[in-house]
Amino acid sequence: MVFFCIPLFVSALSPVEIITKLESNLVYGTSESTGRIIITDRFGKRQSSYLSYTRGKDTSMVEFTGKENAGQKILRIKDEIYLYYPDAEEVIRLRGSALKQSIIGSDMSYADIAGDKSLLDSYNAVLEGKESVKGIQCYRILLTAKKRNVSYQKQTMWIDSKHFIYVKINQRAKSGKVLKELTVRRFKTVSGHTIPVDILIKDMLKKNSSTEFLVDSFKLNPSIPDGTFNLQGLW
Amino acid sequence: MGHLIFRDSGKMKPVLFAILLFYLLMFPLWGESTIITKMELYDTVARMGESTWLNNGSGFLTVRFDQKNNKHVKSQLRITAASASYTGDFSFSIERAYVKFRFPYFRAVIGKAPSSWGEGLIFNAGNLLFADSGIQTNLMQQDFSGTAAWMTGITIPLSPFSYTELVSLPPDSIFLGIGASKAGGRIVSASGPVKIEAGYLYDGSADIHKTSISFQVNSLLNSYISAAAYFPAGSTFTKSLKSSLLITAGLYSMTNFGYSGTLFYRLETRIKPNGVWTQDDGIYLYSELSYAFQSGKALILRGFISPVDRSSVIVPGFSWNVFQGFTFTSLISLGTGSPGSTFAWTPESTAKSGFSLMAGVSVVY
């Protein structure tokens, strides 16, 4: 009996290890992706599209390719963020906290596309148990903010225990009330990395409001043109 | 400059022919480009001078061809047509027509391209290529567009946040010789929270050497300052520095405000320390506050202030991106100064307005 229990005990992961595995799954040498953001409200749907390049954990360039905001770019290198507006030919430099701003009025922030610091820098993690979500066995992790300057004081994450990718996230106020619910509807596996490619974000405080985040193409470790992650590459 | 203006409807035929020819010539490009059309239509009621009220319909159509599917070459052709019911004029202009291409060690641009040197949206002393519009800027427009000019330029990256740029601009008129060209360069570098830019431009048309230095600091506050001085050939350094010194500065902030709202604030100033502090010189302020909330809605408050004569123009408004590509905008412009001041409620010139109300829509497709 003891013989069988030892491997079970050894394989049990701490919440910190689960979050670390989740984040390492979402960090790539380089990546190139295209996608769409579809915002739905009571007046209908509005769609924008983007092209994104990333390198490592904290370097990214996102260019919006939809007609309404064509050419707008976000360059991020570590804590340096530059927003480029092509019509005004203006570059706005921001500090890291600006990553929390909403993208083009959606329920997503720049951090959702461009990545952000580790969750463990901002939250304490507690493993609440294991649950099945849509038939996928998940770890249920409660994240409680260490600081006040985060977007959500609490988050509950359901993380696929096999592929270490989030399946569902409830973002909560300090009282525990759910503000936003993020559900992954489709995944794609590329070279051992499981990537969410169809995400639905519902704002629970607004009726008929949601954002769909769709990844149309994803390349892992592509060759990225020189100058992509340079300031002069914005123009 | 670069505009064709027509009053007589009898001249419509050649214009329509030119448009048709242009579209036929451009047709082969469509397969490799993204075509973006933006139409802005406004209805404005304005109080001109003392007692004249004006109702004007105006429209702008911009067609933009962006090259796509090439990571190393980027080109854009942008044509704008404008019309206003008040004057009966309509105009066409080529706003942008450029190619940018990227080699491993440098990037180049050729054509009519936008370029923004220095720091600042409305007041920017560091923009040596184009004088900023300053208080002449129309605050009733939905967005502020950058200026473009014919140029040839090379940009050489030095590090992720540093580069040097060399440019040459042909004379403004074909009748001016090569000596009327402009040429210069700038070097941009950033380290930690500080970004520094130093620029130089020789303007052959006036035989003037223009210099500038700009700083942007992003620590507790996001702030910037630019200073420029112009030195006519053969002039005394100290005298020219004193008479031409222009300083612009600003600060801005973008923060979360309320539930899923974003608050943006900007304050800019333009100071000519040794100028004559009258209406035409001295000091001006520009302030902007916008609050974006609930998917596509924004409240806007902009304004110019002239501290010298204690006058201001205040522009409150609202914009709403209601449907895909469709935005409704309404703005009010209100001059608060006494007659004779920079931003008077009753301007002395009948060409100026002390009050106007604009409502309009823009459609992008």
Side-chain angles (χ1 to χ4, degrees):
Chain A
M1 192 66 184
V2 172
F3 179 80
F4 285 105
C5 282
I6 288 171
L8 190 66
F9 176 75
V10 170
S11 69
L13 294 170
S14 71
V16 170
E17 288 170 319
I18 293 166
I19 296 291
T20 305
K21 278 180 172 280
L22 165 77
E23 290 180 337
S24 64
N25 180 48
L26 294 172
V27 173
Y28 326 106
T30 59
S31 76
E32 178 183 336
S33 61
T34 60
R36 287 166 291 150
I37 299 166
I38 302 169
I39 302 163
T40 304
D41 60 19
R42 63 197 174 103
F43 290 95
K45 289 179 185 284
R46 283 173 287 129
Q47 178 175 303
S48 186
S49 53
Y50 71 88
L51 164 67
S52 170
Y53 295 106
T54 68
R55 187 175 64 200
K57 189 178 172 184
D58 52 16
T59 303
S60 62
M61 164 74 90
V62 179
E63 178 177 358
F64 291 98
T65 52
K67 292 193 175 185
E68 277 184 85
N69 36 34
Q72 284 184 24
K73 292 179 182 175
I74 307 159
L75 170 66
R76 184 195 175 198
I77 300 180
K78 296 182 180 170
D79 283 336
E80 300 275 339
I81 301 160
Y82 291 85
L83 307 181
Y84 171 65
Y85 297 95
D87 279 346
E89 194 67 11
E90 189 192 15
V91 175
I92 292 182
R93 186 189 193 203
L94 297 167
R95 290 180 296 153
S97 61
L99 278 172
K100 289 183 286 182
Q101 306 302 321
S102 160
I103 299 173
I104 53 171
S106 73
D107 295 322
M108 296 185 64
S109 69
Y110 293 120
D112 294 322
I113 283 186
D116 201 355
K117 289 178 181 173
S118 170
L119 285 167
L120 299 169
D121 291 339
S122 306
Y123 291 92
N124 291 313
V126 173
L127 177 60
E128 293 190 323
K130 271 189 159 186
E131 279 180 9
S132 175
V133 178
K134 293 183 180 175
I136 301 169
Q137 196 63 21
C138 296
Y139 293 111
R140 193 178 78 202
I141 304 272
L142 174 66
L143 299 169
T144 307
K146 292 177 182 175
K147 310 163 193 168
R148 289 187 65 188
N149 64 344
V150 294
S151 300
Y152 306 101
Q153 288 299 306
K154 288 180 181 174
Q155 298 193 55
T156 306
M157 278 191 165
W158 286 263
I159 298 170
D160 184 334
S161 59
K162 186 177 174 189
H163 298 105
F164 291 94
I165 187 72
Y166 50 82
V167 175
K168 183 178 161 185
I169 303 173
N170 281 351
Q171 295 170 323
R172 301 168 186 271
K174 198 173 181 180
S175 64
K177 183 178 182 178
V178 178
L179 302 173
K180 283 180 188 167
E181 183 180 272
L182 182 153
T183 311
V184 179
R185 300 188 293 197
R186 199 158 50 87
F187 300 96
K188 186 178 181 181
T189 300
V190 182
S191 304
H193 289 267
T194 303
I195 297 145
V197 293
D198 182 346
I199 301 171
L200 175 70
I201 303 167
K202 279 189 175 174
D203 188 328
M204 308 306 275
L205 300 188
K206 295 181 203 163
K207 279 186 179 175
N208 307 317
S209 171
S210 67
T211 299
E212 290 164 88
F213 178 53
L214 306 170
V215 178
D216 294 322
S217 70
F218 185 90
K219 291 180 193 168
L220 195 62
N221 296 322
S223 163
I224 293 178
D226 291 337
T228 300
F229 302 118
N230 283 358
L231 191 56
Q232 58 96 28
L234 289 170
W235 285 278
Chain B
M1 198 177 70
H3 294 246
L4 294 169
I5 299 177
F6 300 90
R7 275 180 192 277
D8 184 356
S9 60
K11 292 181 180 175
M12 281 295 287
K13 278 184 183 173
V15 174
L16 292 173
F17 176 75
I19 294 169
L20 181 65
L21 183 65
F22 169 77
Y23 270 81
L24 287 172
L25 289 171
M26 292 307 299
F27 189 77
L29 292 175
W30 289 6
E32 295 296 328
S33 64
T34 301
I35 303 166
I36 301 170
T37 306
K38 183 176 185 184
M39 188 154 52
E40 296 171 81
L41 300 165
Y42 301 109
D43 197 345
T44 306
V45 174
R47 179 174 173 269
M48 311 298 289
E50 195 165 348
S51 59
T52 307
W53 286 86
L54 171 79
N55 186 3
N56 184 39
S58 59
F60 304 89
L61 173 71
T62 302
V63 183
R64 188 176 139 184
F65 301 85
D66 285 3
Q67 183 182 4
K68 63 178 183 182
N69 298 333
N70 191 327
K71 292 174 183 173
H72 303 286
V73 182
K74 192 165 102 176
S75 67
Q76 187 182 107
L77 174 65
R78 187 184 295 202
I79 300 151
T80 297
S83 179
S85 66
Y86 179 61
T87 60
D89 292 349
F90 60 95
S91 65
F92 291 94
S93 60
I94 295 178
E95 296 286 319
R96 294 178 188 182
Y98 64 81
V99 177
K100 292 177 179 176
F101 48 98
R102 182 156 54 189
F103 287 143
Y105 301 107
F106 69 92
R107 214 192 65 172
V109 60
I110 185 162
K112 189 172 184 181
S115 187
S116 179
W117 288 19
E119 304 289 348
L121 181 68
I122 302 293
F123 300 131
N124 180 0
N127 197 353
L128 301 181
L129 300 182
F130 318 102
D132 63 45
S133 302
I135 59 166
Q136 304 304 325
T137 305
N138 177 13
L139 297 184
M140 300 288 272
Q141 57 192 321
Q142 207 175 62
D143 302 303
F144 301 114
S145 292
T147 312
W150 290 97
M151 67 175 70
T152 302
I154 290 174
T155 306
I156 303 161
L158 306 172
S159 75
F161 297 117
S162 303
Y163 59 90
T164 186
E165 181 183 1
L166 302 169
V167 293
S168 165
L169 288 78
D172 293 336
S173 165
I174 196 168
F175 300 109
L176 298 171
I178 193 170
S181 300
K182 296 171 189 168
R186 64 171 169 162
I187 185 160
V188 179
S189 183
S191 177
V194 182
K195 179 175 164 240
I196 306 169
E197 176 179 329
Y200 166 79
L201 187 79
Y202 173 69
D203 183 349
S205 64
D207 203 9
I208 289 178
H209 301 270
K210 300 179 175 180
T211 58
S212 70
I213 187 153
S214 304
F215 295 91
Q216 184 177 133
V217 182
N218 302 83
S219 54
L220 291 175
L221 279 173
N222 299 303
S223 58
Y224 47 84
I225 183 166
S226 294
Y230 294 2
F231 302 94
S235 67
T236 315
F237 177 82
T238 316
K239 191 179 170 188
S240 297
L241 176 66
K242 196 176 172 186
S243 63
S244 68
L245 182 63
L246 178 67
I247 297 169
T248 58
L251 54 90
Y252 62 93
S253 163
M254 186 188 267
T255 53
N256 290 332
F257 189 80
Y259 179 68
S260 70
T262 300
L263 189 68
F264 183 81
Y265 178 71
R266 184 197 297 269
L267 178 66
E268 288 188 349
T269 185
R270 173 195 185 276
I271 302 169
K272 200 160 188 188
N274 300 302
V276 182
W277 284 44
T278 63
Q279 287 183 25
D280 301 316
D281 228 334
I283 181 169
Y284 294 109
L285 298 168
Y286 168 74
S287 181
E288 177 185 340
L289 181 67
S290 67
Y291 176 53
F293 61 104
Q294 286 190 1
S295 58
K297 298 187 191 78
L299 294 171
I300 302 157
L301 182 64
R302 300 170 179 154
F304 284 125
I305 300 165
S306 173
V308 173
D309 61 17
R310 294 179 206 164
S311 68
S312 65
V313 58
I314 300 165
V315 180
F318 174 71
S319 85
W320 184 11
N321 178 202
V322 189
F323 307 113
Q324 176 88 48
F326 175 91
T327 303
F328 170 81
T329 305
S330 183
L331 293 162
I332 295 170
S333 173
L334 188 68
T336 64
S338 54
S341 61
T342 312
F343 307 109
W345 162 246
T346 305
E348 288 174 337
S349 165
T350 53
K352 288 187 174 179
S353 168
F355 170 83
S356 57
L357 166 64
M358 180 276 284
V361 296
S362 72
V363 183
V364 180
Y365 53 96

